[in-house]
Amino acid sequence: MAYRQEKVILVTGGSSGIGKSICQYLTSKGFKVYGTSRKAQEDLGFPLLSIDVTDDESVKLGVEELLRREGRIDVLINNAGIGMMGAVEDSIPKDSLKVFETNVFGPLRMMQTVLPTMRAQKSGLIINIGSIAGYMGLPYRSIYSATKASLGMITEALRMELKPYNVKACVLDPGDYSTSIAQHRQVNIPEQSPYRSSVVALEKMIDEEVHSSSDPMEVALLIEKIISIPEPKVRYISGKFKQKLSVAIKHWIGGKFFENILVKHYKL
Ligand SMILES: NC(=O)c1ccc[n+]([C@@H]2O[C@H](COP(=O)([O-])OP(=O)(O)OC[C@H]3O[C@@H](n4cnc5c(N)ncnc54)[C@H](OP(=O)(O)O)[C@@H]3O)[C@@H](O)[C@H]2O)c1
């Protein structure tokens, strides 16, 4: 068997959506893939470890179990994440912290737990799943955007810190994909909120966009490519042309011009 096919890959959040597609696709390609879930699942065609990324002990035990079974870890894909909706004024720190716990400190815990092994191996790759939302402060999704922007910055810094150890890291930022993210999203819309009708309308619009969006298997195909590259790029973006273009416009023009595009798109 070729070396490439023996790689041991851990994907957080393998029970649903993008993570499940990644696990199923890479398993079908002969990789040794482990997903994770916080609850018991039916047989998905690949092994699942029990990991809650918001819990230190759970992360430690889950990674120890993987290393006990396989003796190594070649790729960590930090995919587990949750969405959040609500106006900035309504996003109280206690609720916002929960989203940061999953989307930022969760991946941080996972990286800190696998890195001693990867450094000792003198090889390894970490792929952090960000979002196109991390390139722009999206209205009524500010906290979600902030978590994904944070994860991107942590990854950019990590790449340079890992240079002496031959361990690589990169970010993959998806656009909209048809998954269960809307059902699992944390929504903060207090009854008395002055923003209530706007947030409800925007939530409906976003849910429709997610339901009619691309197959998450597209992300799995890109992951396979990244895994096969000796020196991955800093960032990868996957999604529809319009979504990729939005990142380029934000980067090159930005400011009020870009803000007006968002205002028009979201009918604010
Ligand atoms: N769908 C999109 O349009 C889109 C766009 C850009 C970025 N993303 C990002 O892609 C990633 C996957 O999202 P998805 O759309 O596939 O969502 P999803 O269908 O809701 O799946 C979320 C996964 O995360 C896991 N998870 C949630 N909280 C967790 C925790 N505390 N500990 C461990 N696992 C946890 C869930 O596993 P259990 O509940 O079984 O534990 C589930 O497998 C997220 O990081 C998301 O932000 C998605």
Side-chain angles (χ1 to χ4, degrees):
M1 192 186 286
Y3 170 71
R4 189 182 81 98
Q5 291 178 316
E6 290 165 356
K7 279 185 177 169
V8 175
I9 300 175
L10 175 60
V11 184
T12 63
S15 61
S16 165
I18 293 175
K20 187 170 148 187
S21 296
I22 295 170
C23 290
Q24 288 178 333
Y25 180 70
L26 294 182
T27 300
S28 78
K29 290 285 168 177
F31 293 98
K32 186 80 197 163
V33 185
Y34 285 79
T36 76
S37 178
R38 291 164 297 172
K39 15 189 202 290
Q41 301 284 339
E42 58 185 298
D43 181 8
L44 298 173
F46 53 86
L48 279 170
L49 298 169
S50 172
I51 292 185
D52 179 342
V53 298
T54 67
D55 183 299
D56 288 345
E57 190 62 11
S58 170
V59 168
K60 181 175 161 283
L61 292 176
V63 172
E64 276 175 4
E65 177 60 17
L66 174 83
L67 294 174
R68 194 185 60 74
R69 291 194 208 177
E70 302 297 336
R72 60 184 293 112
I73 173 166
D74 298 299
V75 183
L76 165 68
I77 302 174
N78 270 317
N79 161 78
I82 51 169
M84 180 169 177
M85 281 219 65
V88 171
E89 200 177 327
D90 296 328
S91 300
I92 57 169
K94 185 167 89 39
D95 297 334
S96 308
L97 198 58
K98 276 191 211 157
V99 185
F100 267 90
E101 270 294 346
T102 307
N103 295 2
V104 182
F105 303 126
L108 185 62
R109 270 185 201 95
M110 291 298 303
M111 293 189 279
Q112 289 170 344
T113 311
V114 304
L115 275 171
T117 304
M118 288 185 170
R119 281 190 296 98
Q121 290 171 179
K122 294 192 170 48
S123 71
L125 169 64
I126 295 170
I127 304 177
N128 286 328
I129 304 294
S131 170
I132 284 182
Y135 288 89
M136 52 197 83
L138 289 175
Y140 304 124
R141 282 189 286 173
S142 57
I143 303 301
Y144 180 69
S145 282
T147 62
K148 294 301 184 177
S150 300
L151 185 58
M153 290 303 127
I154 290 170
T155 316
E156 286 184 12
L158 176 73
R159 278 174 64 92
M160 293 181 272
E161 294 172 8
L162 290 178
K163 278 202 185 293
Y165 305 101
N166 192 38
V167 177
K168 319 285 174 190
C170 67
V171 191
L172 195 171
D173 294 304
D176 286 338
Y177 284 92
S178 182
T179 69
S180 306
I181 196 162
Q183 290 98 288
H184 300 141
R185 181 190 293 141
Q186 178 169 315
V187 183
N188 286 47
I189 320 178
E191 280 296 329
Q192 71 287 6
S193 172
Y195 306 96
R196 192 174 171 81
S197 59
S198 307
V199 187
V200 169
L202 196 96
E203 190 185 15
K204 194 167 167 276
M205 182 180 171
I206 289 165
D207 286 355
E208 282 162 10
E209 279 178 0
V210 168
H211 286 309
S212 61
S213 56
S214 315
D215 183 340
M217 203 46 93
E218 208 176 278
V219 181
L221 265 65
L222 179 54
I223 291 269
E224 188 195 16
K225 269 192 206 152
I226 298 171
I227 288 172
S228 69
I229 296 168
E231 297 288 341
K233 293 195 298 186
V234 180
R235 283 180 180 261
Y236 295 84
I237 300 179
S238 72
K240 295 199 169 126
F241 175 73
K242 207 169 134 185
Q243 291 171 344
K244 289 182 179 167
L245 183 66
S246 71
V247 175
I249 295 174
K250 171 77 199 281
H251 181 76
W252 292 110
I253 306 172
K256 283 188 185 171
F257 180 83
F258 185 72
E259 186 182 72
N260 284 335
I261 294 177
L262 287 183
V263 166
K264 215 170 151 191
H265 177 73
Y266 291 118
K267 303 183 176 68
L268 298 173

